[in-house]
Amino acid sequence: MSMRPVGLPDVPEQTVMVARAAFPKGSLAIRVRDRLAEVFADEPFAEAFGVRGAPGLSPGALSLVTVLQFAEDLTDRQAAAMAVRAIDWKYALGMELTDIGFDASVLCRFRARLADNGMERVVFDRLLQHCKDAGLVAAGGKQRTDSTHVISAVRDLNRLELAGESVRAALEALAVAAPAWLAGQIDVTEFAERYGPRIDGWKMPGSQTKRDRLAQVFGQDALALCQAAWAADAPVWIREIEAVALLRQVLVQTYIIRSDARGRRVIKKRDADDGVPPGQLRLASPYDADARWAAKGDDLFWCGYKIHLTETCTTLPDTDADPDADAGAGGLPNLITDVHTTDATVPDVKATAPIQHKLAEHGVKPAEHYLDSGYPSADLITTAMKQGVRMVTPVLLDRSAQAKAAAGFDKTAFTVNWKTRQVRCPAGRTSSHWNPVKQHGKDAIVITFSVLTCRECPFQQQCTASKLGRRMLTLRPEELHENLARARAEQKTDTWKNKYALRAGIEGTINQALDITGIRQARYRGLPKVRLQHAFSATALNIVRLDAHWTTGPLDRTRRSSRLERLSYRLSA
């Protein structure tokens, strides 16, 4: 497939006439075409398409279809049908009224091409640049970020189901790619009976003994397949099939292979004592190598991904305002400036620096960045401050036993003299040791008071419960310590609490993303395609907000009263 960069074609006269008659007040698709046509150009996609071969559909037009598809939460078939029967979509795409459109599979191939070439964010970034040029977004303002979980597009599997389904997935792939080779390695009839239907926990034996035996059978079959695939006489490309490579990973993560006293090879399913891989490495499905299990609190447990949305914000959230309008001060809409997707195991604090880097890269770095307590650390607060970004976020409080119990002397009761490298306790005694160390890869300082000093102190019981009877403190380097102490003190004030209320509006944005684009459920498999889904979802949210900004004045956003209130007004009148 080749591409000749032509962009969106001119709208035919007949299509213009019918669309204007059918939509005298316009529609989202019509206004997007009239105001944002330059965003959906072909040139940015040139590297993903060849220059030889039959010409394909315009990537700019397909990207516009995809954005409209997410703005209306449509499937590929529904989006392809809209391009045929919806007059305003024909107007947006510059199609003749008699144009029969395209097959729905084109959208799938288009997304795959974007994901394979790292172009997931092209349209989002171009729309952001357009808004920046139009003065709707700028650096130096206020922005807020929050995350939510995303459920993968594959079914949830327990460890036994995963073991069996991984064997089944590898067999299915080999049956297509290397049927002759596979027939020479296994008893096809026996394996077809065992792995023909999908592995389902509801159909497994009820007794634990039989389930353990079945797990061993799955492990033996997986081992036999892997040994055959990695044999010296096996074609190299066999082991490069994704399902086969994933089967090997599942085998290593789920089973232990040992030799017994007689030298026979024994395979055993791993249990807690044998150790299992950490969550960020542990496969959750043979059909999505990037999906991971994660938990948040005691109630939320999911398999999939996590998305972080960042948007501009200029006013306190108005719960009675139209969420689609979501305008800030001066009538400017609150627009999404960054979308960041990771697997489910990545903590929020790991996303802070990449998000701020992206904002700076696109020239929309905020002066104040509002986040919840999962995002900050002393290092991040200090680094952001040096880069001109003030993180307005509740930092984690002192986790010492004294601070938790709100009794005794926490770290704030001690005076640190950084020049003399000593710490003075509330009783006026000074520390005896100052030891710079590395903790979890970060610089820290361990302060130790002498046993003799603490043993004679009248406040010993209030200060430490150590068996040695002496107090120890762990501090960060001076700049980080001071910044952290300042942030902890500031967040206790009413002024800071009132200011931080601005962050709450991001919850409405996430809810809008769920309602309009269904962002909570992954449509595709694999992190690159999920990132593409989220980038187009964020683009769709931005055009919905821009459309509300174009069609609704700030003074038109009146408070919506409930039906009960309106009845009360009528009765009182």
Side-chain angles (χ1 to χ4, degrees):
M1 182 186 296
S2 64
M3 184 195 76
R4 284 132 175 95
V6 294
L8 296 176
D10 294 333
V11 185
E13 292 184 6
Q14 188 178 14
T15 303
V16 173
M17 180 181 65
V18 175
R20 297 298 183 192
F23 298 92
K25 295 183 179 181
S27 71
L28 173 66
I30 291 175
R31 285 186 286 271
V32 168
R33 170 59 195 252
D34 290 342
R35 293 174 176 266
L36 301 175
E38 68 273 13
V39 172
F40 303 96
D42 287 342
E43 288 80 1
F45 302 99
E47 294 182 3
F49 294 82
V51 295
R52 304 175 65 180
L57 294 175
S58 162
L62 290 177
S63 63
L64 175 55
V65 170
T66 305
V67 171
L68 294 176
Q69 172 187 3
F70 279 92
E72 301 188 25
D73 197 16
L74 304 176
T75 65
D76 287 353
R77 291 183 183 275
Q78 290 171 332
M82 288 290 284
V84 177
R85 68 190 184 200
I87 300 300
D88 55 341
W89 279 48
K90 284 185 177 291
Y91 179 96
L93 298 172
M95 298 168 61
E96 296 283 355
L97 294 178
T98 55
D99 197 317
I100 62 173
F102 51 85
D103 189 80
S105 62
V106 171
L107 293 174
C108 179
R109 294 197 295 269
F110 174 66
R111 290 192 301 268
R113 193 175 288 266
L114 294 188
D116 292 342
N117 289 273
M119 295 184 173
E120 302 93 339
R121 288 176 53 113
V122 167
V123 178
F124 176 82
D125 291 341
R126 286 182 61 82
L127 179 59
L128 182 62
Q129 183 61 45
H130 173 87
C131 293
K132 182 183 173 185
D133 295 340
L136 298 174
V137 179
K142 300 177 181 180
Q143 296 185 34
R144 55 197 176 197
T145 299
D146 201 7
S147 66
T148 188
H149 64 284
V150 179
I151 301 170
S152 65
V154 295
R155 65 190 177 101
D156 295 345
L157 301 172
N158 59 38
R159 294 181 65 212
L160 180 56
E161 290 173 324
L162 175 61
E165 194 64 32
S166 298
V167 178
R168 179 173 177 268
L171 290 171
E172 290 290 304
L174 290 169
V176 175
W181 179 87
L182 181 62
Q185 304 298 324
I186 65 171
D187 185 337
V188 176
T189 303
E190 178 186 349
F191 274 64
E193 181 179 354
R194 187 179 303 148
Y195 298 104
R198 74 177 191 177
I199 307 301
D200 194 333
W202 292 102
K203 300 176 183 178
M204 290 184 179
S207 72
Q208 186 61 45
T209 301
K210 291 182 179 180
R211 292 172 74 90
D212 291 342
R213 174 56 188 160
L214 185 59
Q216 191 171 11
V217 171
F218 289 157
Q220 290 170 344
D221 292 343
L223 179 60
L225 272 179
C226 289
Q227 286 178 332
W230 269 266
D233 58 344
V236 175
W237 58 268
I238 291 287
R239 66 198 68 158
E240 294 176 351
I241 298 174
E242 183 181 17
V244 177
L246 291 178
L247 174 63
R248 189 186 191 191
Q249 284 185 255
V250 171
L251 178 63
V252 172
Q253 293 180 359
T254 311
Y255 294 93
I256 293 178
I257 303 171
R258 295 172 178 165
S259 296
D260 62 11
R262 298 182 180 181
R264 294 176 302 182
R265 181 168 292 179
V266 178
I267 186 167
K268 173 181 174 293
K269 188 170 178 287
R270 289 179 181 269
D271 54 28
D273 294 334
D274 299 316
V276 293
Q280 63 266 30
L281 300 178
R282 196 183 315 150
L283 293 178
S285 171
Y287 305 109
D288 188 343
D290 298 321
R292 295 290 184 270
W293 283 103
K296 185 175 183 180
D298 297 329
D299 302 325
L300 182 57
F301 189 57
W302 81 100
C303 175
Y305 303 90
K306 186 185 290 186
I307 179 175
H308 304 261
L309 291 176
T310 303
E311 69 169 356
T312 57
C313 58
T314 49
T315 58
L316 290 175
D318 181 4
T319 56
D320 295 313
D322 183 353
D324 291 348
D326 199 10
L332 295 180
N334 290 339
L335 298 176
I336 297 174
T337 53
D338 187 70
V339 53
H340 183 70
T341 306
T342 66
D343 71 67
T345 63
V346 178
D348 290 351
V349 69
K350 296 291 185 181
T352 307
I355 290 171
Q356 293 178 346
H357 175 74
K358 276 291 185 182
L359 295 175
E361 184 179 303
H362 289 92
V364 291
K365 181 175 66 175
E368 293 184 350
H369 195 182
Y370 291 75
L371 310 112
D372 66 24
S373 60
Y375 288 93
S377 70
D379 302 83
L380 290 171
I381 291 173
T382 301
T383 301
M385 193 177 299
K386 292 179 179 178
Q387 296 172 350
V389 179
R390 185 187 177 208
M391 293 173 60
V392 183
T393 171
V395 297
L396 294 178
L397 300 177
D398 186 356
R399 306 305 298 171
S400 66
Q402 293 82 357
K404 290 180 181 179
F409 303 114
D410 59 15
K411 291 181 182 179
T412 59
F414 293 77
T415 304
V416 183
N417 189 323
W418 297 96
K419 292 183 178 180
T420 61
R421 307 180 84 182
Q422 285 186 321
V423 174
R424 184 178 296 276
C425 74
R429 314 288 178 87
T430 57
S431 60
S432 57
H433 296 90
W434 177 288
N435 300 315
V437 297
K438 284 280 187 181
Q439 290 186 348
H440 307 292
K442 298 180 179 180
D443 292 329
I445 302 167
V446 176
I447 311 297
T448 307
F449 285 81
S450 170
V451 175
L452 298 177
T453 299
C454 293
R455 184 179 298 167
E456 299 175 357
C457 180
F459 304 114
Q460 184 191 37
Q461 299 301 320
Q462 298 174 258
C463 190
T464 181
S466 169
K467 293 182 180 180
L468 296 178
R470 65 179 181 180
R471 182 64 185 265
M472 297 181 66
L473 299 173
T474 301
L475 308 178
R476 299 303 307 278
E478 180 177 5
E479 184 179 17
L480 302 183
H481 176 82
E482 297 295 340
N483 289 337
L484 197 58
R486 189 182 307 112
R488 284 172 174 166
E490 183 182 13
Q491 71 189 37
K492 296 178 182 179
T493 64
D494 291 337
T495 301
W496 185 92
K497 292 176 182 178
N498 293 333
K499 182 185 185 72
Y500 184 66
L502 186 61
R503 192 211 68 89
I506 191 66
E507 305 288 351
T509 296
I510 290 178
N511 187 65
Q512 185 184 15
L514 300 181
D515 291 343
I516 293 180
T517 68
I519 210 168
R520 174 66 51 74
Q521 180 68 54
R523 292 187 176 207
Y524 320 118
R525 300 173 183 175
L527 188 55
K529 286 190 177 180
V530 175
R531 282 177 174 158
L532 180 144
Q533 173 191 346
H534 291 165
F536 274 102
S537 295
T539 307
L541 287 179
N542 276 346
I543 68 166
V544 168
R545 291 182 171 193
L546 287 170
D547 185 60
H549 173 68
W550 296 329
T551 58
T552 309
L555 298 180
D556 296 334
R557 298 188 183 98
T558 56
R559 182 180 183 273
R560 294 179 176 178
S561 58
S562 68
R563 292 180 177 85
L564 183 61
E565 288 176 318
R566 292 197 292 270
L567 175 60
S568 175
Y569 296 152
R570 288 199 300 269
L571 294 176
S572 61

